[in-house]
Amino acid sequence: MQKLRKEQKKLEENGDLITKSMTLSDWMTYWMDNIAPRKVRPKTLAGYRSVVDGYIIPILGKKPLDKFTPAHVRELHRKMECTPKNSGLRTKKKSEWPEKTIMLSSTYVLLAHNTLSAALKAAYREGRITSNPCEKVDKPKKRVTNELALTTDEAIRMLQHCSHCPRG
């Protein structure tokens, strides 16, 4: 009876019941081929394709779309944040990575989150899912870098010094 009531509630909320389960991979492929090209510019679409084919589908593609949760979104964030930027290192054991291995940028992880969110928003609108799990997860934050810049006085002194240096 509880299961029946749950399905009745879904029917009331959405006006339809999901009868055929689709994987996230199936949906992302459909979305990339049919929905995204009508909504974004070609360069944006290329960025979407990069994260969809390179990370979203390989990491989460086998998950059933209607069972997709915020925990899956966090899994994508976590795995991407621990992925080396150098693709040659990705097939090696972590113990074989150089000491200061650079990971994927936080901006790239944010692109993956935003791409997945846009695709799941479309799935929600089409009634394939009952909510967008990306909306229930905080977006990844951009990493803060400690980049040192010259002060104005330091820059002036450096330029003065360089102006007296012989060219050659």
Side-chain angles (χ1 to χ4, degrees):
M1 286 305 285
Q2 286 178 333
K3 196 171 185 179
L4 177 62
R5 286 189 186 110
K6 186 176 179 181
E7 291 301 316
Q8 285 175 329
K9 185 176 180 188
K10 282 185 193 175
L11 179 61
E12 288 173 18
E13 290 174 354
N14 300 311
D16 196 7
L17 293 175
I18 299 163
T19 55
K20 181 184 171 225
S21 185
M22 159 185 264
T23 64
L24 181 68
S25 178
D26 295 337
W27 175 255
M28 295 304 296
T29 301
Y30 173 81
W31 180 78
M32 284 297 303
D33 293 343
N34 299 291
I35 299 172
R38 293 186 172 101
K39 300 226 176 242
V40 297
R41 294 179 179 181
K43 193 170 182 177
T44 303
L45 190 62
Y48 283 0
R49 186 150 317 273
S50 172
V51 295
V52 167
D53 293 343
Y55 300 96
I56 296 172
I57 289 177
I59 294 171
L60 301 171
K62 293 180 182 176
K63 310 282 185 209
L65 183 63
D66 60 338
K67 304 265 190 261
F68 204 72
T69 67
H72 295 122
V73 178
R74 285 188 289 276
E75 177 185 352
L76 176 68
H77 295 175
R78 188 175 53 259
K79 286 187 177 178
M80 286 186 73
E81 288 166 351
C82 296
T83 299
K85 185 174 184 177
N86 180 337
S87 59
L89 295 176
R90 295 178 194 161
T91 56
K92 295 184 178 185
K93 294 178 185 175
K94 195 171 184 176
S95 60
E96 296 175 18
W97 295 353
E99 189 176 319
K100 296 201 178 203
T101 299
I102 298 170
M103 299 301 163
L104 291 174
S105 73
S106 56
T107 305
Y108 200 64
V109 179
L110 182 60
L111 171 64
H113 176 91
N114 290 340
T115 303
L116 181 61
S117 183
L120 294 178
K121 182 177 181 180
Y124 172 73
R125 286 183 175 166
E126 290 195 9
R128 296 188 180 269
I129 55 177
T130 56
S131 68
N132 182 348
C134 290
E135 293 177 355
K136 298 175 182 178
V137 175
D138 291 333
K139 287 183 179 188
K141 296 217 184 311
K142 289 187 179 185
R143 288 186 206 114
V144 177
T145 56
N146 292 331
E147 295 179 11
L148 301 175
L150 297 175
T151 66
T152 305
D153 290 338
E154 290 170 333
I156 291 169
R157 277 189 275 140
M158 183 189 72
L159 291 171
Q160 287 172 340
H161 175 76
C162 290
S163 69
H164 299 299
C165 293
R167 292 190 173 109

